[in-house]
Amino acid sequence: MQITVIGIGKLKEKYLIQGIEEYKKRLSAYTKVQIIELADEKAPENLSEAEMEQVKQKEGERILANIKQDDYVVALAIEGKMLNSEQLAKEIDQLMTYGKSHIVFVIGGSLGLSKEVYDRANMLLSFSKMTFPHQLMRVILLEQVYRAFKINRGEPYHK
């Protein structure tokens, strides 16, 4: 199994980079993990709806260029399905059981994801109805994926 996380924007905060590296190291005992950082579109604060769509479109094209046809794509979206940790673990376990060897998690930029990315996704996943910084979501996502592997192996951690 391989896990890829595609995220828009380059991480600059040292604590986030350290968190990601820690969970990548922990996950290496269970699976291969790849983090793909894609450039975000520079956009001023006051964008029109059309300009926001253009930004999401350009970022979406970059995302889709990194997804292969047989990848199982999970897009993080506030309107997605909410799972608890055990349910996420079960989803990952079932994907492995049914031969999905590559799961790609997609985290959009500050404006979200394009319609094309949503359309390509096999699953929309929400971590909360709250909005989180997209950079922080990488750490949260990796922690939950690590927790899922621990749960699936019956190892202590998830309490």
Side-chain angles (χ1 to χ4, degrees):
M1 158 125 329
Q2 180 174 342
I3 302 287
T4 297
V5 177
I6 298 175
I8 295 293
K10 181 143 179 65
L11 289 183
K12 298 172 190 80
E13 295 85 356
K14 190 175 179 179
Y15 71 97
L16 293 175
I17 294 166
Q18 290 171 331
I20 286 169
E21 289 307 314
E22 177 63 26
Y23 284 108
K24 276 178 64 178
K25 184 176 80 176
R26 291 182 188 193
L27 276 162
S28 69
Y30 305 101
T31 187
K32 291 180 181 175
V33 178
Q34 178 185 24
I35 308 291
I36 299 174
E37 287 187 339
L38 301 174
D40 55 347
E41 282 296 306
K42 302 300 175 222
E45 286 293 317
N46 303 337
L47 292 177
S48 69
E49 278 296 316
E51 289 169 324
M52 283 191 244
E53 287 305 313
Q54 285 179 328
V55 167
K56 290 193 288 188
Q57 187 77 31
K58 288 178 184 174
E59 291 174 349
E61 288 168 8
R62 288 189 203 116
I63 291 167
L64 293 171
N66 285 277
I67 296 173
K68 296 179 189 75
Q69 185 174 349
D70 57 344
D71 291 344
Y72 188 89
V73 179
V74 179
L76 272 59
I78 202 163
E79 64 274 7
K81 184 177 181 181
M82 272 196 234
L83 303 175
N84 64 32
S85 297
E86 288 80 8
Q87 290 168 324
L88 179 61
K90 185 177 179 183
E91 288 277 341
I92 290 172
D93 188 53
Q94 287 180 335
L95 289 171
M96 290 192 308
T97 300
Y98 293 106
K100 296 293 182 187
S101 60
H102 191 197
I103 303 173
V104 178
F105 290 93
V106 178
I107 303 170
S110 58
L111 297 177
L113 295 166
S114 69
K115 179 186 180 319
E116 291 77 12
V117 174
Y118 281 121
D119 290 346
R120 172 58 183 89
N122 300 92
M123 176 184 184
L124 298 180
L125 178 63
S126 175
F127 276 75
S128 172
K129 293 211 180 293
M130 290 186 250
T131 302
F132 294 102
H134 56 281
Q135 299 92 339
L136 180 60
M137 277 313 301
R138 292 182 206 177
V139 179
I140 295 169
L141 171 64
L142 287 175
E143 188 280 332
Q144 284 298 303
V145 170
Y146 173 68
R147 185 180 296 262
F149 276 94
K150 297 287 276 186
I151 291 168
N152 287 339
R153 296 274 177 94
E155 298 173 0
Y157 177 75
H158 65 284
K159 299 214 182 303

